[in-house]
Structures are given as C-alpha cells and as structure tokens.
Amino acid sequence: MPDLPEPLDVIAVGAHPDDVEVACGGTLAKLAGSGRRVGIVDLTDGEPTPFSLGPAARMEEAGDAAKVIGAVQRIQLDFPNRRLFDCFEHRIELAKVFRRHRPRIVIGFGEGTPMASPDHLQAQLITDAAVFYSRLSKWDDHFDGLPMHTIQRQLYFRLAMEPMTIAANPFHILVDITETLDQKIAAMECYQSQFAHKNGMADRIRAAATMTGSIAGVAAAESFAAARPFATQDLFAAVGF
Ligand SMILES: [Zn+2]
C-alpha cells in the first residue's frame, strides 16, 4: 500500500484557481483558524484568461491565496480549462486525491453558472462521482492501490456573486464568516490577474457576504447546501450554540 500523508479534515474543489476563494474562502479560513486541516483542489490551472501572465503566475497567486486562508495543501490537477468535461479519467484522478488525503468533508460546486464558465457544472459532476468512487471496494487497481475512503459529508457551495442559495436544494447551512471576511477578500485579491481590472469586485463579494449573513442575523456569511441531508447528534451545536 502507498505511504499516505496525514489526513485532511476538509477538501474544497474548484474548477479554476479563485473559485474556492470566492465561494467559501471565509469558511475555509475559519476552519483553518480553528485548527482544521484544510485542502484545496483546483481541477484546472484556469488558464488562459485575458489579463493573466500565464499558468505560472496564476499558480503563484493561488499559492499566495492558500497561505492567506491557511490551507495546508493546494493541489492543482491538469484537466483542461474551458473544455472541462466529466469523464471516467477525471473522476478517477480526483477520487485518487480523496483516497490519498482522506477528507471527512468535501465542498464543491452544486449548480451550473449560466453565462459564466460551463466548467463549473462539469466540476460538480466530476466531484459528485469522485466522492462516490472514493469509497468503492474491489476497484483498487484503478486508484494506484490507494485504499478506499468514505467521505462523510458533501456540501455544495455557490459563487459569491450568484443568487444567495441553491434554489433547487432545501438543505441550506449558513456559516458565519464575520471574523474571516477580511481574509476572504484578501485571498481573492491575491488574484490580480483575475480581479484587478474588475472595479468593485471586492465590494461586491463583501456585499454578497453581508446580504447572506443578514438572513441569519450575523454580519457576514457564506451559504452551503448539503448534497444529501444529514442528521445531527447535537441539536444545540447544530443550531449554533
Ligand atoms: Zn471558475
């Protein structure tokens, strides 16, 4: 059996470097700040984009953003940007990451983004399948001998600029990011290639977090939906005490 690294508590999966920061950077920073081991997977390098100096510069930005968030691991897979498609090989590659790093929670896209990149919906399909493939038995030869691993919870995020919740999914959870909103904005601002030319982007993301938080009476929040509903053993903890 291959040597395995110390497990991660949570892995967030984006299609492009910056997706995860925009969608759930505040939550990841909060988890990291409380001692959780946070990992980020970018399925593509996100390049080309109009104002970027190229993949190396984008990867440097992603590394800086991961440091701001406090992620202990950032993994970039080499799937193709702009023509990302759900397929068997991509499912296997991502499931290998899950089997190697053994997260308890996986967070990723939960819907398409019309008029923005179609890669996001494909990322959801790949992530859904990889979460399932990660726990399949009698299939180890597809995964370089990595042992099967059951991911206990899967959550869907939304990009901060999208509508406030995933409309088709009733199982919503808001995470209070009042204390880490500045970290989220700072992580986002590491991506000069993506946001420097878009005036007011930080304000929009801050406003979206504020609006989402106002639903639950906190200063700022990020919204998630459970891929499948789950039960709590502790009602007080589940309702925020
Ligand atoms: Zn994206």
Side-chain angles (χ1 to χ4, degrees):
M1 187 181 297
D3 277 347
L4 296 176
E6 186 182 344
L8 296 171
D9 291 305
V10 57
I11 289 181
V13 182
H16 318 109
D18 75 5
D19 287 340
V20 159
E21 287 81 358
V22 171
C24 63
T27 300
L28 297 182
K30 185 167 184 159
L31 288 167
S34 65
R36 299 291 185 184
R37 288 174 53 78
V38 171
I40 297 170
V41 176
D42 304 305
L43 298 181
T44 80
D45 66 9
E47 292 298 313
T49 49
F51 298 96
S52 175
L53 295 175
R58 183 79 172 265
M59 190 181 265
E60 200 170 312
E61 291 174 338
D64 290 345
K67 279 196 202 106
V68 170
I69 283 173
V72 293
Q73 187 102 36
R74 183 160 206 144
I75 297 164
Q76 189 170 97
L77 299 181
D78 61 355
F79 306 164
N81 180 44
R82 294 183 172 173
R83 51 193 180 92
L84 180 64
F85 287 97
D86 176 29
C87 64
F88 182 67
E89 290 73 21
H90 291 167
R91 294 174 177 187
I92 291 286
E93 281 306 307
L94 183 58
K96 281 200 284 193
V97 172
F98 293 158
R99 284 179 176 229
R100 180 176 303 282
H101 294 282
R102 307 179 324 278
R104 297 167 67 193
I105 302 173
V106 165
I107 310 176
F109 278 100
E111 60 188 351
T113 51
M115 298 185 75
S117 174
D119 292 352
H120 299 152
L121 180 59
Q122 298 299 316
Q124 180 193 348
L125 299 176
I126 294 165
T127 306
D128 283 352
V131 166
F132 179 60
Y133 282 14
S134 183
R135 69 173 161 85
L136 291 182
S137 62
K138 301 181 179 173
W139 232 28
D140 292 352
D141 52 329
H142 284 299
F143 304 101
D144 300 339
L146 290 162
M148 56 191 189
H149 170 69
T150 299
I151 293 154
Q152 291 164 300
R153 300 279 187 267
Q154 186 185 357
L155 300 176
Y156 292 137
F157 60 48
R158 64 180 182 89
L159 291 178
M161 298 80 78
E162 299 294 320
M164 287 195 297
T165 55
I166 297 174
N169 186 313
F171 303 109
H172 294 139
I173 301 158
L174 301 189
V175 175
D176 181 351
I177 61 160
T178 305
E179 304 295 328
T180 53
L181 177 57
D182 287 342
Q183 259 175 287
K184 175 187 175 103
I185 301 293
M188 192 210 95
E189 288 181 331
C190 291
Y191 294 95
Q192 286 293 303
S193 68
Q194 305 305 305
F195 299 118
H197 58 286
K198 291 182 182 169
N199 279 340
M201 197 65 182
D203 288 342
R204 284 173 60 191
I205 287 180
R206 195 176 283 280
T210 304
M211 179 69 89
T212 304
S214 73
I215 301 171
V218 297
E222 288 168 338
S223 168
F224 300 89
R228 296 182 65 86
F230 54 86
T232 182
Q233 301 298 327
D234 184 340
L235 184 59
F236 275 75
V239 299
F241 294 107

mmCIF file with all atom_site columns, all heavy atoms in Angstrom, residues 157-177:
data_model
loop_
_atom_site.group_PDB
_atom_site.id
_atom_site.type_symbol
_atom_site.label_atom_id
_atom_site.label_alt_id
_atom_site.label_comp_id
_atom_site.label_asym_id
_atom_site.label_entity_id
_atom_site.label_seq_id
_atom_site.pdbx_PDB_ins_code
_atom_site.Cartn_x
_atom_site.Cartn_y
_atom_site.Cartn_z
_atom_site.occupancy
_atom_site.B_iso_or_equiv
_atom_site.pdbx_formal_charge
_atom_site.auth_seq_id
_atom_site.auth_comp_id
_atom_site.auth_asym_id
_atom_site.auth_atom_id
_atom_site.pdbx_PDB_model_num
ATOM 1   N N   . PHE A 1 157 ? -21.215 24.537 -2.614  1.00 0.00 ? 157 PHE A N   1
ATOM 2   C CA  . PHE A 1 157 ? -21.123 25.984 -2.451  1.00 0.00 ? 157 PHE A CA  1
ATOM 3   C C   . PHE A 1 157 ? -21.709 26.680 -3.658  1.00 0.00 ? 157 PHE A C   1
ATOM 4   O O   . PHE A 1 157 ? -22.058 26.057 -4.652  1.00 0.00 ? 157 PHE A O   1
ATOM 5   C CB  . PHE A 1 157 ? -19.691 26.430 -2.171  1.00 0.00 ? 157 PHE A CB  1
ATOM 6   C CG  . PHE A 1 157 ? -18.628 26.111 -3.220  1.00 0.00 ? 157 PHE A CG  1
ATOM 7   C CD1 . PHE A 1 157 ? -18.822 26.380 -4.569  1.00 0.00 ? 157 PHE A CD1 1
ATOM 8   C CD2 . PHE A 1 157 ? -17.396 25.577 -2.831  1.00 0.00 ? 157 PHE A CD2 1
ATOM 9   C CE1 . PHE A 1 157 ? -17.835 26.118 -5.514  1.00 0.00 ? 157 PHE A CE1 1
ATOM 10  C CE2 . PHE A 1 157 ? -16.395 25.308 -3.781  1.00 0.00 ? 157 PHE A CE2 1
ATOM 11  C CZ  . PHE A 1 157 ? -16.625 25.586 -5.108  1.00 0.00 ? 157 PHE A CZ  1
ATOM 12  N N   . ARG A 1 158 ? -21.820 27.998 -3.546  1.00 0.00 ? 158 ARG A N   1
ATOM 13  C CA  . ARG A 1 158 ? -22.189 28.814 -4.699  1.00 0.00 ? 158 ARG A CA  1
ATOM 14  C C   . ARG A 1 158 ? -21.164 29.928 -4.798  1.00 0.00 ? 158 ARG A C   1
ATOM 15  O O   . ARG A 1 158 ? -20.586 30.344 -3.789  1.00 0.00 ? 158 ARG A O   1
ATOM 16  C CB  . ARG A 1 158 ? -23.588 29.389 -4.508  1.00 0.00 ? 158 ARG A CB  1
ATOM 17  C CG  . ARG A 1 158 ? -23.618 30.321 -3.350  1.00 0.00 ? 158 ARG A CG  1
ATOM 18  C CD  . ARG A 1 158 ? -24.952 30.935 -3.076  1.00 0.00 ? 158 ARG A CD  1
ATOM 19  N NE  . ARG A 1 158 ? -24.778 31.833 -1.957  1.00 0.00 ? 158 ARG A NE  1
ATOM 20  C CZ  . ARG A 1 158 ? -24.428 33.114 -2.063  1.00 0.00 ? 158 ARG A CZ  1
ATOM 21  N NH1 . ARG A 1 158 ? -24.287 33.670 -3.236  1.00 0.00 ? 158 ARG A NH1 1
ATOM 22  N NH2 . ARG A 1 158 ? -24.242 33.847 -1.001  1.00 0.00 ? 158 ARG A NH2 1
ATOM 23  N N   . LEU A 1 159 ? -20.924 30.417 -6.006  1.00 0.00 ? 159 LEU A N   1
ATOM 24  C CA  . LEU A 1 159 ? -20.033 31.559 -6.129  1.00 0.00 ? 159 LEU A CA  1
ATOM 25  C C   . LEU A 1 159 ? -20.703 32.752 -5.478  1.00 0.00 ? 159 LEU A C   1
ATOM 26  O O   . LEU A 1 159 ? -21.929 32.899 -5.535  1.00 0.00 ? 159 LEU A O   1
ATOM 27  C CB  . LEU A 1 159 ? -19.724 31.844 -7.597  1.00 0.00 ? 159 LEU A CB  1
ATOM 28  C CG  . LEU A 1 159 ? -18.857 30.779 -8.279  1.00 0.00 ? 159 LEU A CG  1
ATOM 29  C CD1 . LEU A 1 159 ? -18.646 31.112 -9.743  1.00 0.00 ? 159 LEU A CD1 1
ATOM 30  C CD2 . LEU A 1 159 ? -17.521 30.605 -7.578  1.00 0.00 ? 159 LEU A CD2 1
ATOM 31  N N   . ALA A 1 160 ? -19.918 33.625 -4.867  1.00 0.00 ? 160 ALA A N   1
ATOM 32  C CA  . ALA A 1 160 ? -20.499 34.695 -4.050  1.00 0.00 ? 160 ALA A CA  1
ATOM 33  C C   . ALA A 1 160 ? -21.392 35.616 -4.843  1.00 0.00 ? 160 ALA A C   1
ATOM 34  O O   . ALA A 1 160 ? -22.291 36.241 -4.303  1.00 0.00 ? 160 ALA A O   1
ATOM 35  C CB  . ALA A 1 160 ? -19.373 35.492 -3.387  1.00 0.00 ? 160 ALA A CB  1
ATOM 36  N N   . MET A 1 161 ? -21.166 35.716 -6.153  1.00 0.00 ? 161 MET A N   1
ATOM 37  C CA  . MET A 1 161 ? -21.965 36.650 -6.945  1.00 0.00 ? 161 MET A CA  1
ATOM 38  C C   . MET A 1 161 ? -23.281 36.033 -7.414  1.00 0.00 ? 161 MET A C   1
ATOM 39  O O   . MET A 1 161 ? -24.094 36.708 -8.019  1.00 0.00 ? 161 MET A O   1
ATOM 40  C CB  . MET A 1 161 ? -21.180 37.125 -8.180  1.00 0.00 ? 161 MET A CB  1
ATOM 41  C CG  . MET A 1 161 ? -19.910 37.870 -7.847  1.00 0.00 ? 161 MET A CG  1
ATOM 42  S SD  . MET A 1 161 ? -18.560 36.730 -7.437  1.00 0.00 ? 161 MET A SD  1
ATOM 43  C CE  . MET A 1 161 ? -18.074 36.186 -9.068  1.00 0.00 ? 161 MET A CE  1
ATOM 44  N N   . GLU A 1 162 ? -23.459 34.746 -7.203  1.00 0.00 ? 162 GLU A N   1
ATOM 45  C CA  . GLU A 1 162 ? -24.670 34.067 -7.665  1.00 0.00 ? 162 GLU A CA  1
ATOM 46  C C   . GLU A 1 162 ? -25.807 34.323 -6.672  1.00 0.00 ? 162 GLU A C   1
ATOM 47  O O   . GLU A 1 162 ? -25.591 34.860 -5.599  1.00 0.00 ? 162 GLU A O   1
ATOM 48  C CB  . GLU A 1 162 ? -24.387 32.570 -7.783  1.00 0.00 ? 162 GLU A CB  1
ATOM 49  C CG  . GLU A 1 162 ? -23.293 32.237 -8.785  1.00 0.00 ? 162 GLU A CG  1
ATOM 50  C CD  . GLU A 1 162 ? -23.695 32.569 -10.211 1.00 0.00 ? 162 GLU A CD  1
ATOM 51  O OE1 . GLU A 1 162 ? -24.841 32.330 -10.585 1.00 0.00 ? 162 GLU A OE1 1
ATOM 52  O OE2 . GLU A 1 162 ? -22.847 33.105 -10.952 1.00 0.00 ? 162 GLU A OE2 1
ATOM 53  N N   . PRO A 1 163 ? -27.032 33.922 -7.033  1.00 0.00 ? 163 PRO A N   1
ATOM 54  C CA  . PRO A 1 163 ? -28.134 34.079 -6.082  1.00 0.00 ? 163 PRO A CA  1
ATOM 55  C C   . PRO A 1 163 ? -27.804 33.455 -4.727  1.00 0.00 ? 163 PRO A C   1
ATOM 56  O O   . PRO A 1 163 ? -26.960 32.573 -4.632  1.00 0.00 ? 163 PRO A O   1
ATOM 57  C CB  . PRO A 1 163 ? -29.282 33.326 -6.764  1.00 0.00 ? 163 PRO A CB  1
ATOM 58  C CG  . PRO A 1 163 ? -28.944 33.366 -8.203  1.00 0.00 ? 163 PRO A CG  1
ATOM 59  C CD  . PRO A 1 163 ? -27.449 33.345 -8.294  1.00 0.00 ? 163 PRO A CD  1
ATOM 60  N N   . MET A 1 164 ? -28.474 33.900 -3.683  1.00 0.00 ? 164 MET A N   1
ATOM 61  C CA  . MET A 1 164 ? -27.996 33.646 -2.332  1.00 0.00 ? 164 MET A CA  1
ATOM 62  C C   . MET A 1 164 ? -27.993 32.194 -1.889  1.00 0.00 ? 164 MET A C   1
ATOM 63  O O   . MET A 1 164 ? -27.236 31.814 -1.026  1.00 0.00 ? 164 MET A O   1
ATOM 64  C CB  . MET A 1 164 ? -28.802 34.472 -1.343  1.00 0.00 ? 164 MET A CB  1
ATOM 65  C CG  . MET A 1 164 ? -28.419 35.943 -1.421  1.00 0.00 ? 164 MET A CG  1
ATOM 66  S SD  . MET A 1 164 ? -29.008 36.843 -0.033  1.00 0.00 ? 164 MET A SD  1
ATOM 67  C CE  . MET A 1 164 ? -30.750 36.651 -0.256  1.00 0.00 ? 164 MET A CE  1
ATOM 68  N N   . THR A 1 165 ? -28.861 31.380 -2.462  1.00 0.00 ? 165 THR A N   1
ATOM 69  C CA  . THR A 1 165 ? -28.863 29.970 -2.098  1.00 0.00 ? 165 THR A CA  1
ATOM 70  C C   . THR A 1 165 ? -29.073 29.144 -3.359  1.00 0.00 ? 165 THR A C   1
ATOM 71  O O   . THR A 1 165 ? -29.491 29.665 -4.384  1.00 0.00 ? 165 THR A O   1
ATOM 72  C CB  . THR A 1 165 ? -30.003 29.645 -1.114  1.00 0.00 ? 165 THR A CB  1
ATOM 73  O OG1 . THR A 1 165 ? -31.236 30.073 -1.698  1.00 0.00 ? 165 THR A OG1 1
ATOM 74  C CG2 . THR A 1 165 ? -29.808 30.335 0.212   1.00 0.00 ? 165 THR A CG2 1
ATOM 75  N N   . ILE A 1 166 ? -28.796 27.870 -3.267  1.00 0.00 ? 166 ILE A N   1
ATOM 76  C CA  . ILE A 1 166 ? -29.050 26.979 -4.397  1.00 0.00 ? 166 ILE A CA  1
ATOM 77  C C   . ILE A 1 166 ? -30.534 26.645 -4.359  1.00 0.00 ? 166 ILE A C   1
ATOM 78  O O   . ILE A 1 166 ? -31.003 25.920 -3.496  1.00 0.00 ? 166 ILE A O   1
ATOM 79  C CB  . ILE A 1 166 ? -28.171 25.723 -4.295  1.00 0.00 ? 166 ILE A CB  1
ATOM 80  C CG1 . ILE A 1 166 ? -26.694 26.136 -4.376  1.00 0.00 ? 166 ILE A CG1 1
ATOM 81  C CG2 . ILE A 1 166 ? -28.529 24.739 -5.392  1.00 0.00 ? 166 ILE A CG2 1
ATOM 82  C CD1 . ILE A 1 166 ? -25.718 25.006 -4.149  1.00 0.00 ? 166 ILE A CD1 1
ATOM 83  N N   . ALA A 1 167 ? -31.274 27.191 -5.306  1.00 0.00 ? 167 ALA A N   1
ATOM 84  C CA  . ALA A 1 167 ? -32.731 27.178 -5.208  1.00 0.00 ? 167 ALA A CA  1
ATOM 85  C C   . ALA A 1 167 ? -33.312 25.768 -5.196  1.00 0.00 ? 167 ALA A C   1
ATOM 86  O O   . ALA A 1 167 ? -34.309 25.500 -4.528  1.00 0.00 ? 167 ALA A O   1
ATOM 87  C CB  . ALA A 1 167 ? -33.309 27.979 -6.365  1.00 0.00 ? 167 ALA A CB  1
ATOM 88  N N   . ALA A 1 168 ? -32.665 24.865 -5.910  1.00 0.00 ? 168 ALA A N   1
ATOM 89  C CA  . ALA A 1 168 ? -33.258 23.534 -6.043  1.00 0.00 ? 168 ALA A CA  1
ATOM 90  C C   . ALA A 1 168 ? -33.006 22.660 -4.820  1.00 0.00 ? 168 ALA A C   1
ATOM 91  O O   . ALA A 1 168 ? -33.537 21.565 -4.729  1.00 0.00 ? 168 ALA A O   1
ATOM 92  C CB  . ALA A 1 168 ? -32.701 22.853 -7.295  1.00 0.00 ? 168 ALA A CB  1
ATOM 93  N N   . ASN A 1 169 ? -32.192 23.133 -3.897  1.00 0.00 ? 169 ASN A N   1
ATOM 94  C CA  . ASN A 1 169 ? -31.802 22.291 -2.763  1.00 0.00 ? 169 ASN A CA  1
ATOM 95  C C   . ASN A 1 169 ? -32.278 22.925 -1.461  1.00 0.00 ? 169 ASN A C   1
ATOM 96  O O   . ASN A 1 169 ? -31.899 24.046 -1.139  1.00 0.00 ? 169 ASN A O   1
ATOM 97  C CB  . ASN A 1 169 ? -30.271 22.141 -2.746  1.00 0.00 ? 169 ASN A CB  1
ATOM 98  C CG  . ASN A 1 169 ? -29.803 21.162 -1.681  1.00 0.00 ? 169 ASN A CG  1
ATOM 99  O OD1 . ASN A 1 169 ? -30.240 21.218 -0.546  1.00 0.00 ? 169 ASN A OD1 1
ATOM 100 N ND2 . ASN A 1 169 ? -28.913 20.270 -2.062  1.00 0.00 ? 169 ASN A ND2 1
ATOM 101 N N   . PRO A 1 170 ? -33.108 22.241 -0.700  1.00 0.00 ? 170 PRO A N   1
ATOM 102 C CA  . PRO A 1 170 ? -33.647 22.844 0.518   1.00 0.00 ? 170 PRO A CA  1
ATOM 103 C C   . PRO A 1 170 ? -32.753 22.731 1.747   1.00 0.00 ? 170 PRO A C   1
ATOM 104 O O   . PRO A 1 170 ? -33.080 23.305 2.785   1.00 0.00 ? 170 PRO A O   1
ATOM 105 C CB  . PRO A 1 170 ? -34.927 22.036 0.749   1.00 0.00 ? 170 PRO A CB  1
ATOM 106 C CG  . PRO A 1 170 ? -34.627 20.698 0.191   1.00 0.00 ? 170 PRO A CG  1
ATOM 107 C CD  . PRO A 1 170 ? -33.681 20.920 -0.963  1.00 0.00 ? 170 PRO A CD  1
ATOM 108 N N   . PHE A 1 171 ? -31.621 22.015 1.658   1.00 0.00 ? 171 PHE A N   1
ATOM 109 C CA  . PHE A 1 171 ? -30.842 21.726 2.862   1.00 0.00 ? 171 PHE A CA  1
ATOM 110 C C   . PHE A 1 171 ? -29.697 22.723 3.015   1.00 0.00 ? 171 PHE A C   1
ATOM 111 O O   . PHE A 1 171 ? -28.543 22.423 2.767   1.00 0.00 ? 171 PHE A O   1
ATOM 112 C CB  . PHE A 1 171 ? -30.328 20.287 2.831   1.00 0.00 ? 171 PHE A CB  1
ATOM 113 C CG  . PHE A 1 171 ? -31.429 19.293 2.684   1.00 0.00 ? 171 PHE A CG  1
ATOM 114 C CD1 . PHE A 1 171 ? -31.598 18.599 1.510   1.00 0.00 ? 171 PHE A CD1 1
ATOM 115 C CD2 . PHE A 1 171 ? -32.338 19.086 3.711   1.00 0.00 ? 171 PHE A CD2 1
ATOM 116 C CE1 . PHE A 1 171 ? -32.634 17.695 1.358   1.00 0.00 ? 171 PHE A CE1 1
ATOM 117 C CE2 . PHE A 1 171 ? -33.375 18.189 3.576   1.00 0.00 ? 171 PHE A CE2 1
ATOM 118 C CZ  . PHE A 1 171 ? -33.533 17.491 2.393   1.00 0.00 ? 171 PHE A CZ  1
ATOM 119 N N   . HIS A 1 172 ? -30.029 23.930 3.427   1.00 0.00 ? 172 HIS A N   1
ATOM 120 C CA  . HIS A 1 172 ? -29.051 25.005 3.489   1.00 0.00 ? 172 HIS A CA  1
ATOM 121 C C   . HIS A 1 172 ? -28.405 25.144 4.858   1.00 0.00 ? 172 HIS A C   1
ATOM 122 O O   . HIS A 1 172 ? -29.039 24.939 5.882   1.00 0.00 ? 172 HIS A O   1
ATOM 123 C CB  . HIS A 1 172 ? -29.724 26.340 3.137   1.00 0.00 ? 172 HIS A CB  1
ATOM 124 C CG  . HIS A 1 172 ? -30.180 26.394 1.723   1.00 0.00 ? 172 HIS A CG  1
ATOM 125 N ND1 . HIS A 1 172 ? -31.370 26.933 1.331   1.00 0.00 ? 172 HIS A ND1 1
ATOM 126 C CD2 . HIS A 1 172 ? -29.600 25.943 0.603   1.00 0.00 ? 172 HIS A CD2 1
ATOM 127 C CE1 . HIS A 1 172 ? -31.499 26.816 0.028   1.00 0.00 ? 172 HIS A CE1 1
ATOM 128 N NE2 . HIS A 1 172 ? -30.446 26.217 -0.433  1.00 0.00 ? 172 HIS A NE2 1
ATOM 129 N N   . ILE A 1 173 ? -27.149 25.544 4.816   1.00 0.00 ? 173 ILE A N   1
ATOM 130 C CA  . ILE A 1 173 ? -26.400 25.847 6.030   1.00 0.00 ? 173 ILE A CA  1
ATOM 131 C C   . ILE A 1 173 ? -25.679 27.164 5.780   1.00 0.00 ? 173 ILE A C   1
ATOM 132 O O   . ILE A 1 173 ? -25.053 27.326 4.727   1.00 0.00 ? 173 ILE A O   1
ATOM 133 C CB  . ILE A 1 173 ? -25.322 24.764 6.294   1.00 0.00 ? 173 ILE A CB  1
ATOM 134 C CG1 . ILE A 1 173 ? -25.956 23.381 6.443   1.00 0.00 ? 173 ILE A CG1 1
ATOM 135 C CG2 . ILE A 1 173 ? -24.483 25.111 7.526   1.00 0.00 ? 173 ILE A CG2 1
ATOM 136 C CD1 . ILE A 1 173 ? -24.978 22.257 6.176   1.00 0.00 ? 173 ILE A CD1 1
ATOM 137 N N   . LEU A 1 174 ? -25.796 28.109 6.700   1.00 0.00 ? 174 LEU A N   1
ATOM 138 C CA  . LEU A 1 174 ? -25.001 29.329 6.594   1.00 0.00 ? 174 LEU A CA  1
ATOM 139 C C   . LEU A 1 174 ? -23.866 29.261 7.598   1.00 0.00 ? 174 LEU A C   1
ATOM 140 O O   . LEU A 1 174 ? -24.074 28.854 8.743   1.00 0.00 ? 174 LEU A O   1
ATOM 141 C CB  . LEU A 1 174 ? -25.847 30.574 6.886   1.00 0.00 ? 174 LEU A CB  1
ATOM 142 C CG  . LEU A 1 174 ? -27.072 30.826 6.010   1.00 0.00 ? 174 LEU A CG  1
ATOM 143 C CD1 . LEU A 1 174 ? -27.644 32.218 6.310   1.00 0.00 ? 174 LEU A CD1 1
ATOM 144 C CD2 . LEU A 1 174 ? -26.757 30.701 4.538   1.00 0.00 ? 174 LEU A CD2 1
ATOM 145 N N   . VAL A 1 175 ? -22.678 29.637 7.151   1.00 0.00 ? 175 VAL A N   1
ATOM 146 C CA  . VAL A 1 175 ? -21.539 29.715 8.062   1.00 0.00 ? 175 VAL A CA  1
ATOM 147 C C   . VAL A 1 175 ? -21.235 31.185 8.321   1.00 0.00 ? 175 VAL A C   1
ATOM 148 O O   . VAL A 1 175 ? -21.059 31.961 7.372   1.00 0.00 ? 175 VAL A O   1
ATOM 149 C CB  . VAL A 1 175 ? -20.298 29.009 7.467   1.00 0.00 ? 175 VAL A CB  1
ATOM 150 C CG1 . VAL A 1 175 ? -19.091 29.201 8.380   1.00 0.00 ? 175 VAL A CG1 1
ATOM 151 C CG2 . VAL A 1 175 ? -20.581 27.526 7.258   1.00 0.00 ? 175 VAL A CG2 1
ATOM 152 N N   . ASP A 1 176 ? -21.195 31.557 9.585   1.00 0.00 ? 176 ASP A N   1
ATOM 153 C CA  . ASP A 1 176 ? -20.879 32.927 9.993   1.00 0.00 ? 176 ASP A CA  1
ATOM 154 C C   . ASP A 1 176 ? -19.404 33.197 9.692   1.00 0.00 ? 176 ASP A C   1
ATOM 155 O O   . ASP A 1 176 ? -18.525 32.548 10.262  1.00 0.00 ? 176 ASP A O   1
ATOM 156 C CB  . ASP A 1 176 ? -21.168 33.061 11.496  1.00 0.00 ? 176 ASP A CB  1
ATOM 157 C CG  . ASP A 1 176 ? -20.900 34.466 12.032  1.00 0.00 ? 176 ASP A CG  1
ATOM 158 O OD1 . ASP A 1 176 ? -20.325 35.301 11.304  1.00 0.00 ? 176 ASP A OD1 1
ATOM 159 O OD2 . ASP A 1 176 ? -21.254 34.716 13.198  1.00 0.00 ? 176 ASP A OD2 1
ATOM 160 N N   . ILE A 1 177 ? -19.134 34.129 8.773   1.00 0.00 ? 177 ILE A N   1
ATOM 161 C CA  . ILE A 1 177 ? -17.730 34.444 8.448   1.00 0.00 ? 177 ILE A CA  1
ATOM 162 C C   . ILE A 1 177 ? -17.382 35.885 8.834   1.00 0.00 ? 177 ILE A C   1
ATOM 163 O O   . ILE A 1 177 ? -16.469 36.480 8.259   1.00 0.00 ? 177 ILE A O   1
ATOM 164 C CB  . ILE A 1 177 ? -17.407 34.192 6.957   1.00 0.00 ? 177 ILE A CB  1
ATOM 165 C CG1 . ILE A 1 177 ? -18.267 35.080 6.030   1.00 0.00 ? 177 ILE A CG1 1
ATOM 166 C CG2 . ILE A 1 177 ? -17.563 32.728 6.602   1.00 0.00 ? 177 ILE A CG2 1
ATOM 167 C CD1 . ILE A 1 177 ? -17.673 35.228 4.636   1.00 0.00 ? 177 ILE A CD1 1
#
